[in-house]
Structure formats: C-alpha cells, structure tokens
C-alpha cells in the first residue's frame, strides 16, 4: 500500500481510513460473523490485500501502450481507442473518466463468486456506470511542467490580493459555488455567503485568509478561522489552486440552496476545482 495506494495529497492514513469506511464496510462477506476463528481487524486486512492484489493484475499503462496509446503532451486520442485498448486484454469493457478533457480515472468491474477474501473475481462489463470523456481526449504524462516559456503571455497572478475563491464541480463545466469565510463550499447561485479572501505570496506559494482567520488543511479538511495558527502553503497550477501540487479537491456533495459542504484534499464523492476571481467586478455579496 505504501507503494501502490497513495493519497495524492500525501495523507495516506486518512485516505485509507476513508476507503475502508466508505467501501470496505459495504461487503457482507467481510462481516466478522463470516469468519472462522476470527481475529480483530482480520476483515480490514483482507479488504486492503485483495484490493492491492487486483490492482497488480490491472496494468492500465501496459493495456494502453500495447495499443499504441502512450502519455503525450501534444497528441490526442479518441475515447473509443482508449476503451477498445482496455477491453482487449480482459474481454469486457472498462469505464473512463476525464477532468477538463484529460484522462483521469479508469474503473474496472467484477462479479464475485464467494467471499471477498477467498472468492473468485470475474471481470464484468460496467453496470450503472458510463464513461464521461469527450470524443477526443488527452493522456498527459505525470508531473508535466506548467512553467511558462518566454513566449507565453503571463496573466496577473491569481490568489494574490483580495478576491473570491470560486468552486467548480467536475462534469459541470461551469462555476457552481464559492468558499465562505469558514472555508466551506457554498452555492454561489442561491447563497450570498461568498467570502472575500486575502491571498499573500510566500516564496513560490500562497497563503489564504478570510475575515475569520487564516486557512489551513487539517486532517484533510480545509478550514479558515482563528484556530489556525499556521496557514497552509498552497500553490497555483495554471490558474487552479493546488495543495501539494494537486489541483483536485473534494466534497461529499455539491452544495445547493443554503447548504454548505466541507472541502477535502482526500478523495470523496465529488471532485472540485478551485479558482480565483479578483475582487473588482464580481457580483457576489461577501459576508
């Protein structure tokens, strides 16, 4: 797990706890009553071990490379090509997801004959899942540099000065919310709690603060307030807020109406992107 099941924000333990709590506890055959001579936490070990074992059988990079699909910063591939390449070695379809037109996740599906710990995993076609990628997509190399060249037009630095922190939900293709003064995600359409934030440069990074206080990531949650003694260092990746160079943030649900959702740096139900809008020209009402 230390090699193959990493948290993109660097908080592995928190990520593993989330995966067990959300997914591992759903399987009836991992109930302690299903075990003979059960020892405490035996089912937890079985869940993680079986997941890693399955992952080791799914060499997605090789599946794609065998079809001539390799990471590239200049070439696009079709979704049909990617799906066909993933189908060939297993004989069943996979499901793919994209983020801003870039291949982001691959999902594989199984039926289980027997228990999670000892049963046979039979590859199956997706059920209730559909690929959301555009017809033409990018498959980018990891850690591709976003450093501007001498010929690039460099826009004003985001997340510096005063402005609103806008939230965009994956698949929506448009801004759906903002952060309030506590650092929670609220709807910008039906809610007037979009806060004014102050961004300050700190070396190559930035810090954020609202009227309540500095912002920090604590136990994978974004919080802003007087309890924060040391603000977290964020950075800007092509106009998107990033934590540990990762531009994905998460929420359990998309905030609507007067609701608010906690923003996480570890994986959760909804993927969020966070951008900046300078204070001048915004129609939001700050609180």
């Amino acid at each position: 797990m230390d090699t193959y099941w990493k948290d993109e924000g660097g908080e592995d333990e928190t990520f593993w706890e989330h995966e067990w709590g959300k997914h591992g506890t759903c399987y009836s055959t991992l109930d302690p009553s299903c075990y003979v001579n059960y020892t405490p936490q035996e089912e937890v070990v079985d869940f993680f071990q079986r997941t890693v074992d399955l992952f080791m059988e799914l060499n997605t990079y090789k599946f794609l490379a065998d079809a001539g699909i390799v990471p590239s910063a200049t070439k696009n591939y079709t979704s049909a090509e990617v799906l066909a390449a993933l189908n060939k070695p297993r004989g069943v379809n996979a499901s793919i997801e994209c983020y801003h037109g870039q291949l982001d996740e691959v999902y594989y599906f199984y039926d289980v004959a027997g228990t999670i710990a000892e049963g046979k995993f039979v590859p199956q076609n997706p059920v209730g899942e559909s690929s959301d990628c555009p017809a033409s997509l990018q498959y980018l190399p990891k850690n591709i540099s976003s450093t501007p060249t001498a010929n690039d037009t460099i826009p004003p630095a985001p997340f510096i000065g005063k402005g609103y922190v806008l939230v965009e939900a994956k698949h929506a293709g448009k801004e759906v919310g903002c952060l309030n003064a506590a650092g929670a995600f609220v709807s910008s359409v039906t809610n007037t709690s979009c806060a004014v934030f102050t961004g300050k440069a700190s070396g190559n990074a930035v810090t954020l603060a609202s009227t309540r206080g500095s912002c920090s990531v604590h136990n994978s949650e974004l919080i802003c307030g007087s309890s924060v003694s040391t603000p977290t260092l964020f950075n800007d990746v092509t106009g998107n807020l990033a934590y540990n160079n990762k531009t994905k943030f998460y929420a359990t649900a998309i905030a609507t109406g007067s609701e608010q959702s906690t923003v996480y740096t570890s994986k959760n139900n909804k993927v969020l992107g966070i951008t900046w809008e300078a204070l001048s020209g915004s129609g939001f009402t700050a609180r």
Side-chain angles (χ1 to χ4, degrees):
M1 287 171 61
D2 286 332
T3 301
Y4 297 110
W5 204 336
K6 306 293 290 181
D7 175 59
E8 62 184 2
E11 299 185 12
D12 293 346
E13 293 280 351
T14 301
F15 179 39
W16 297 334
E17 289 173 5
H18 164 77
E19 293 297 287
W20 168 250
K22 181 177 180 180
H23 303 292
T25 56
C26 294
Y27 299 104
S28 59
T29 59
L30 289 177
D31 189 280
S33 63
C34 295
Y35 286 78
V36 177
N37 298 323
Y38 172 76
T39 57
Q41 284 76 58
E42 185 177 356
E43 74 280 21
V44 180
V45 175
D46 285 341
F47 167 73
F48 286 115
Q49 184 62 61
R50 197 60 191 260
T51 305
V52 172
D53 289 345
L54 287 170
F55 174 81
M56 297 296 289
E57 298 172 2
L58 298 167
N59 192 335
T60 302
Y61 179 85
K62 185 176 187 301
F63 295 164
L64 295 176
D66 286 347
I69 301 172
V70 295
S72 172
T74 58
K75 183 177 180 180
N76 277 34
Y77 301 96
T78 67
S79 291
E81 290 172 333
V82 173
L83 290 169
L86 296 173
N87 176 285
K88 186 174 181 179
R90 302 174 69 243
V92 295
N93 293 328
S95 177
I96 57 176
E97 286 195 2
C98 289
Y99 188 61
H100 294 315
Q102 301 165 4
L103 184 61
D104 183 52
E105 293 183 282
V106 176
Y107 292 86
Y108 299 98
F109 298 79
Y110 294 89
D111 281 342
V112 184
T115 66
I116 295 294
E118 299 178 353
K120 180 180 180 181
F121 281 67
V122 183
Q124 295 293 332
N125 286 308
V127 176
E129 292 280 344
S130 61
S131 298
D132 75 341
C133 293
S136 177
L137 58 83
Q138 290 183 292
Y139 175 28
L140 295 177
K142 291 185 177 181
N143 301 320
I144 185 169
S145 173
S146 60
T147 303
T149 67
N151 295 324
D152 288 336
T153 299
I154 302 176
F159 306 106
I160 300 296
K162 291 188 179 294
Y164 297 98
V165 180
L166 307 184
V167 179
E168 184 178 283
K170 186 176 182 181
H171 310 316
K174 61 181 181 180
E175 171 219 322
V176 295
C178 58
L179 297 186
N180 65 14
F185 166 32
V186 296
S187 170
S188 60
V189 177
T190 57
N191 198 297
T192 57
S193 295
C194 298
V196 173
F197 285 80
T198 300
K200 294 182 179 180
S202 179
N204 293 324
V206 296
T207 61
L208 294 174
S210 71
T211 54
R212 293 194 180 184
S214 297
C215 300
S216 175
V217 174
H218 180 68
N219 292 332
S220 295
E221 296 184 11
L222 177 64
I223 58 172
C224 303
S226 58
S227 63
V228 175
S229 57
T230 304
T232 290
L233 295 177
F234 299 97
N235 59 306
D236 161 46
V237 176
T238 61
N240 292 275
L241 188 70
Y243 174 68
N244 287 339
N245 291 316
K246 303 294 183 180
T247 58
K248 287 185 189 176
F249 293 82
Y250 302 88
T252 55
I254 300 301
T256 59
S258 61
E259 298 173 349
Q260 65 179 37
S261 295
T262 300
V263 175
Y264 299 94
T265 56
S266 59
K267 284 194 173 182
N268 216 302
N269 297 338
K270 301 295 181 180
V271 179
L272 310 175
I274 295 180
T275 59
W276 178 261
E277 182 175 307
L279 183 58
S280 60
S282 175
F284 297 141
T285 301
R287 287 185 180 178

